[in-house]
Amino acid sequence: MTMVAATVIAYQNDLPYFLVEEVDGKPSFLVVKVHQHHEETSLGMILKSFSELGIKDFDDWRLGELATIRLPHEEQAPLYSFHVTDFQEVQESLPKALSFKSGDEIQSLLTSIQPTTFTSFDE
């Protein structure tokens, strides 16, 4: 079993907002399990998890970067980021446990990203 994480990034007034969930009163990226023995892919499980949370339309989502984050207990996991133009529309589809927060609001969470591992999916 492998753990993978994801966030959605949107900009408002040139400021980035990140989709996070509240876990034990602290913001966290969405983390899901991937069972490779069931032939699940990490990207597929992320999209399936978002779908199960209420997102039904991924047409405007763009895969941004792949990085690595430190999870509790010091394990590392891939972090997928998706970019959307209208986060209000995404927010309306999600349960209240998930919300968009500015970088200032999740500063300590952003320090869990391992920047040397960024891979861009842009052309």
Side-chain angles (χ1 to χ4, degrees):
M1 174 182 64
T2 302
M3 303 299 285
V4 296
T7 190
V8 177
I9 303 171
Y11 288 85
Q12 184 175 36
N13 299 325
D14 294 325
L15 294 174
Y17 287 81
F18 301 83
L19 183 68
V20 296
E21 64 178 337
E22 291 293 321
V23 176
D24 298 328
K26 295 181 181 179
S28 174
F29 296 119
L30 178 68
V31 177
V32 299
K33 296 177 186 177
V34 177
H35 299 280
Q36 294 171 331
H37 59 280
H38 290 191
E39 298 183 15
E40 297 170 344
T41 66
S42 56
L43 181 57
M45 288 308 299
I46 291 290
L47 293 174
K48 179 180 178 184
S49 295
F50 278 124
S51 180
E52 290 172 349
L53 290 169
I55 302 294
K56 301 301 178 200
D57 182 8
F58 294 99
D59 288 346
D60 292 331
W61 288 42
R62 298 294 174 257
L63 190 55
E65 293 84 29
L66 175 64
T68 303
I69 62 167
R70 284 186 316 271
L71 294 177
H73 306 95
E74 297 302 317
E75 66 181 297
Q76 292 188 345
L79 172 67
Y80 287 89
S81 67
F82 299 88
H83 297 264
V84 295
T85 54
D86 185 1
F87 74 87
Q88 300 298 333
E89 181 180 321
V90 174
Q91 184 69 55
E92 291 171 8
S93 304
L94 295 170
K96 292 184 184 214
L98 292 167
S99 61
F100 281 91
K101 304 278 186 180
S102 72
D104 290 343
E105 294 174 285
I106 61 166
Q107 184 177 11
S108 64
L109 176 61
L110 293 176
T111 64
S112 69
I113 297 174
Q114 304 293 305
T116 58
T117 61
F118 280 115
T119 301
S120 177
F121 294 106
D122 294 339
E123 295 180 79

